[in-house]
Amino acid sequence: MWYGLFKNLLFWPVVRFGFRARIEGEEHIPRTGGAILASNHLAAGDTFVLPAMLHRPLTFPAKAELFAGRGGIGAKIVAWFLKAVGQVPLDRSGGRVSLDGLGPVLKVLSDGGMVGIYPEGTRSPDGRLYKGRTGVARLALAAGVPVIPVAMFDTAAARTRIGIPWIRRPRIVIGEPLDFSAYAELHDDRNGLRWVTDEVMAAIQDLSGQTYVDAYGTSLKSGSLSAAEADARVLPRPGYGTPAPELPSGGLS
């Protein structure tokens, strides 16, 4: 109930008529059934521009600590909002805990819902596309659902004359679904997960036209990777030169 109210009474009117957003390729989204929307991540506005323009509800996993509501009234409001609109917690503390933390997200997919994922794991520090994290592949193979690539454009906010952050003419392009069901047995195989992730990122790059950097965006943000080192890791596409893994026994030929 709250999802529909917030979307239809607030977010959709602002995004569609205020921001004058456009969407292309929504016909590629199945009308029913679980699916993962995997998108590039340019700005904070991506997270509400995309779901506002879709007909189907979209669930974004949020950091588990945001659901605790610790840290004052603001934190409590954020926790209430996330729960009210049906978002789910994702434990990103790493290791086995992080894997177990995918449970709530898998439940959304098994119930026929759509999940939004930013495989880069952070907003792009410079507008380029960075290496994807393999959580998107693990989810797709474990849940047996298609991955739908998405490219966001012009979602950064600029302040108006009166100081209000505003997004001008954002655009969303949605590509054709990617089916990795033949590789389901590779859900715990490191090389298989990397290949699937790179294929997802390559599909996003095809839509967005971004330059690809074969490094995590968080490395550049943290300073562990310099701008010059990032430039040296530019590749034509994700997974460049890496062959597809052999199909598991019983897979499609």
Side-chain angles (χ1 to χ4, degrees):
M1 181 185 72
W2 285 108
Y3 186 101
L5 286 174
F6 277 112
K7 175 184 174 180
N8 296 321
L9 296 180
L10 178 60
F11 291 107
W12 183 77
V14 169
V15 171
R16 178 65 183 88
F17 300 110
F19 297 166
R20 301 180 69 179
R22 294 171 293 159
I23 186 169
E24 303 169 21
E26 193 176 6
E27 68 274 9
H28 295 311
I29 296 178
R31 294 188 177 183
T32 59
I36 298 169
L37 267 65
S39 175
N40 61 337
H41 197 12
L42 300 177
D46 299 335
T47 307
F48 59 87
V49 169
L50 178 58
M53 293 296 290
L54 298 176
H55 286 96
R56 289 187 60 183
L58 183 64
T59 296
F60 276 109
K63 292 186 294 185
E65 52 266 34
L66 293 177
F67 287 78
R70 300 189 183 96
I73 186 64
K76 294 184 185 300
I77 292 173
V78 169
W80 173 84
F81 176 79
L82 291 173
K83 295 172 184 176
V85 298
Q87 305 311 291
V88 294
L90 178 66
D91 192 319
R92 302 196 301 183
S93 57
R96 177 55 56 184
V97 173
S98 181
L99 299 180
D100 294 341
L102 293 176
V105 187
L106 288 170
K107 180 67 165 55
V108 173
L109 295 170
S110 66
D111 288 345
M114 288 203 314
V115 168
I117 292 288
Y118 298 119
E120 292 168 276
T122 187
R123 294 193 292 271
S124 173
D126 54 18
R128 296 186 291 189
L129 188 69
Y130 281 78
K131 189 174 183 178
R133 298 188 179 275
T134 57
V136 63
R138 192 180 299 277
L139 281 172
L141 298 184
V145 298
V147 180
I148 303 170
V150 178
M152 306 293 294
F153 298 86
D154 303 319
T155 52
R159 292 194 176 275
T160 63
R161 293 180 180 178
I162 59 175
I164 299 175
W166 204 252
I167 301 173
R168 301 185 185 278
R169 298 180 181 273
R171 184 163 64 99
I172 304 165
V173 179
I174 299 174
E176 296 183 4
L178 306 174
D179 181 7
F180 297 107
S181 57
Y183 297 93
E185 293 181 23
L186 300 180
H187 63 88
D188 273 331
D189 179 83
R190 181 178 179 180
N191 292 332
L193 292 172
R194 172 46 55 194
W195 179 81
V196 169
T197 301
D198 286 341
E199 289 300 295
V200 171
M201 300 307 293
I204 294 173
Q205 185 193 31
D206 286 342
L207 298 175
S208 70
Q210 291 168 282
T211 297
Y212 174 68
V213 180
D214 193 38
Y216 294 119
T218 51
S219 298
L220 188 59
K221 286 184 174 182
S222 69
S224 61
L225 185 75
S226 70
E229 288 171 327
D231 291 343
R233 297 193 185 189
V234 170
L235 293 179
R237 60 154 277 166
Y240 180 70
T242 302
E246 293 186 9
L247 284 169
S249 58
L252 300 175
S253 59

